[in-house]
Amino acid sequence: MTEVPRRLVFVHGIGGIRDAEAEAASWSAALTRNTDLTSIQVTFVDYSKEFHVDGAQGDPAIETELLQELVAELVAELEENASTSSERVLADARMQLTATADQGPGEVVRRLANVLTTVLAMPGLRSAGQWASGRSVLGHLAQVAIYLGRAGEVDARIRARVHDALTAGPAVVVAHSLGSVVAYEALHEHSGPIPLLVTLGSPLAMSAVVWHRLTPRPPRTPECVDRWQNFWDCDDIVVARPRLERRFLPNTNGVIPVSRQIDSVGLWTHTATKYLAQPLVAAQIADALR
């Protein structure tokens, strides 16, 4: 039987430079708001500065191409489940995407930012308040392109930070956004037991950009994971394909992701703290830690 952990390892997602101590405190506070958890050892994996060191930026043309694919897929997958009120907005975004085909890198980036600004006008996203403009969304999505572009071994350095956090023994791993991609790949390289993996607002199943570039292949649950719970918010723009169990094979113990929808109230639906404050999310983590 796997040892019951009293440790939480948090892995953050897209965004700016982090203050690990402050983030660990705010994530923990959001989690414990709806639980009776006490005396939990928390490790916050901060890899945010890796995107700003020499060698992190690879070939601009390759990263621009990845960004084009990422934005195009995001729009396409939003169109699959679009409401009637969103169809016109997404048709406008699709038309703008077509115009990026023969542009130089600088113009492509500008147009992609405009596409995302259009997408943010969708009824559900218009009130979400996560980003002020398409350019701010694009700046954060660029981190996904950098990680998956794997220039200068930035992806390996980021995963090494997860490995360092797991050396102390069994832990519940909670990974948000791009952090779910990082944690997924790191756990495939990890041999110790992980009683529970929780992914929040995950882009893992995005076909063209993320899912097809994951290692190892074919994508499957890491062998060390005993349970995998995946949560998404219906107004989270980063989560176009939320049901990971449709795209990931089980590990040899038959473990597959179990995806559940939550509905956050108010602004900033993509933040980790918004997810962690949800009673359903907190209950799953608390049960694994008791």
Side-chain angles (χ1 to χ4, degrees), residues 81-100:
N81 301 302
S83 63
T84 302
S85 58
S86 298
E87 288 177 353
R88 182 176 297 179
V89 173
L90 290 170
D92 186 8
R94 172 64 58 192
M95 186 178 299
Q96 293 177 58
L97 270 172
T98 303
T100 67

Side-chain angles (χ1 to χ4, degrees), residues 171-249:
V172 171
V173 175
V174 178
H176 174 239
S177 186
L178 174 58
S180 67
V181 179
V182 173
Y184 168 82
E185 293 193 338
L187 291 176
H188 271 291
E189 303 165 342
H190 181 68
S191 58
I194 301 298
L196 175 64
L197 168 63
V198 177
T199 49
L200 310 171
S202 174
L204 274 166
M206 291 188 73
S207 300
V209 180
V210 180
W211 188 80
H212 283 295
R213 288 181 168 83
L214 293 174
T215 58
R217 295 202 58 80
R220 62 184 185 274
T221 302
E223 284 299 313
C224 62
V225 172
D226 292 344
R227 286 197 303 130
W228 183 352
Q229 295 285 315
N230 176 61
F231 297 92
W232 90 94
D233 189 289
C234 57
D235 290 329
D236 189 342
I237 188 175
V238 175
V239 190
R241 288 187 183 271
R243 296 194 179 277
L244 303 187
E245 58 269 31
R246 296 176 180 174
R247 309 231 66 191
F248 287 80
L249 297 174

Side-chain angles (χ1 to χ4, degrees), residues 92-149:
D92 186 8
R94 172 64 58 192
M95 186 178 299
Q96 293 177 58
L97 270 172
T98 303
T100 67
D102 299 318
Q103 303 293 328
E107 182 63 17
V108 168
V109 168
R110 186 184 71 81
R111 286 183 177 271
L112 290 177
N114 290 341
V115 170
L116 290 171
T117 296
T118 299
V119 169
L120 290 175
M122 286 174 57
L125 300 176
R126 187 166 51 217
S127 60
Q130 180 73 41
W131 289 281
S133 68
R135 183 163 292 276
S136 61
V137 181
L138 193 66
H140 288 166
L141 290 181
Q143 295 176 358
V144 180
I146 291 170
Y147 179 86
L148 293 173

